[in-house]
């Protein structure tokens, strides 16, 4: 118990040095409307209508994307991008992405949730390529701070060291799927924090049930 408290205390000390107001996570996806998942909405643009058609083809009859389906979709797309170094998205990383994007706890992504994730991946892919200065296909430890800052997350050195240990290889290089997995989680955690920080004080108070819900299904 003492060791657990010491570890958690150390993490809190690191995080407490960060101003959450600096972060610019994406706006959350709109609330899902289950009864009209496959139907175009009156205010949708032509681009959105086309995206909905693509989603219908990818998601299948249930109009939802599971972790396995997400993995297959992302890895199929990766085969067309030879400039991105990656081992492919694993089922575990896709489960994590579904979990942090799953606003209604259904275990799958509906249209709006998938669209939100897809748009973020496209945006972060552009940043990844931009900050891969040496065109190695990966982002090195010295390139990471600028890449995360461009994505809206100016982190301090201590947090970067934690991220590198968790998401980078032994040389400190981060490949594409790790970069995306890290940003999806970081974006989700920042959105969750802003939701809980109702008075914008920069701190939140949660009970054990809320803590477990926030950390275990992600």
């Amino acid at each position: 118990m003492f060791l657990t408290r010491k570890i958690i205390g150390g993490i809190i000390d690191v995080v407490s040095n960060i101003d959450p107001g600096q972060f610019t996570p994406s706006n959350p996806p709109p609330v899902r409307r289950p009864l009209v998942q496959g139907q175009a909405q009156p205010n949708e643009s032509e681009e959105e209508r086309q995206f909905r058609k693509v989603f219908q083809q990818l998601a299948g009859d249930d109009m939802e994307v599971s972790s396995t389906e997400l993995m297959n979709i992302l890895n199929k797309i990766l085969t067309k991008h030879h400039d991105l170094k990656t081992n492919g998205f694993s089922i575990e990383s896709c489960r994590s992405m579904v979990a942090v994007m799953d606003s209604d706890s259904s275990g799958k992504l509906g249209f709006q949730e998938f669209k939100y994730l897809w748009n973020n991946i496209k945006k972060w892919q552009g940043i990844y390529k931009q900050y891969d200065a040496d065109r190695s296909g990966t982002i090195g430890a010295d390139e990471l701070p600028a890449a995360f800052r461009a994505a809206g997350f100016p982190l301090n050195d201590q947090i970067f060291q934690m991220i590198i240990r968790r998401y980078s290889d032994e040389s400190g290089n981060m490949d594409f799927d790790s970069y995306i997995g890290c940003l999806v989680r970081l974006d989700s955690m920042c959105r969750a924090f802003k939701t809980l920080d109702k008075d914008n004080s920069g701190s939140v108070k949660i009970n054990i049930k809320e803590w477990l819900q926030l950390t275990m299904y992600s």
Side-chain angles (χ1 to χ4, degrees), residues 18-21 193-194 196-205:
I18 299 175
D19 175 13
F193 184 90
K194 285 180 177 289
L196 294 169
D197 184 19
K198 300 184 186 302
D199 58 358
N200 294 318
S201 65
S203 63
V204 297
K205 183 178 181 180

Side-chain angles (χ1 to χ4, degrees), residues 51-169:
F51 188 87
R52 187 179 288 276
K53 289 180 180 178
V54 173
F55 176 77
Q56 287 177 293
Q57 295 172 357
L58 296 174
D61 294 338
D62 64 353
M63 287 302 295
E64 292 183 313
V65 171
S66 67
S67 302
T68 301
E69 289 171 327
L70 178 63
M71 179 182 68
N72 293 336
I73 292 167
L74 294 179
N75 286 335
K76 185 175 181 179
I77 292 170
L78 280 180
T79 61
K80 302 177 182 179
H81 292 273
H82 302 293
D83 54 338
L84 300 175
K85 186 174 181 180
T86 174
N87 293 320
F89 287 89
S90 68
I91 186 61
E92 188 55 39
S93 66
C94 289
R95 282 174 182 156
S96 180
M97 283 193 277
V98 168
V100 298
M101 293 301 307
D102 181 15
S103 59
D104 60 354
S105 300
S106 68
K108 296 183 178 182
L109 300 183
F111 173 71
Q112 294 294 348
E113 295 164 330
F114 180 79
K115 179 183 172 186
Y116 176 92
L117 175 62
W118 185 265
N119 287 337
N120 273 347
I121 289 176
K122 284 202 306 181
K123 176 179 68 177
W124 294 332
Q125 177 188 341
I127 294 172
Y128 185 89
K129 289 184 176 182
Q130 179 184 352
Y131 286 92
D132 175 21
D134 58 3
R135 298 296 181 264
S136 64
T138 64
I139 296 183
D142 57 331
E143 299 166 328
L144 277 176
F148 275 83
R149 195 177 302 113
F153 303 101
L155 305 173
N156 63 31
D157 289 340
Q158 292 169 299
I159 292 293
F160 272 123
Q161 292 306 312
M162 292 171 63
I163 285 176
I164 288 170
R165 285 194 292 269
R166 171 64 177 83
Y167 291 94
S168 298
D169 63 19

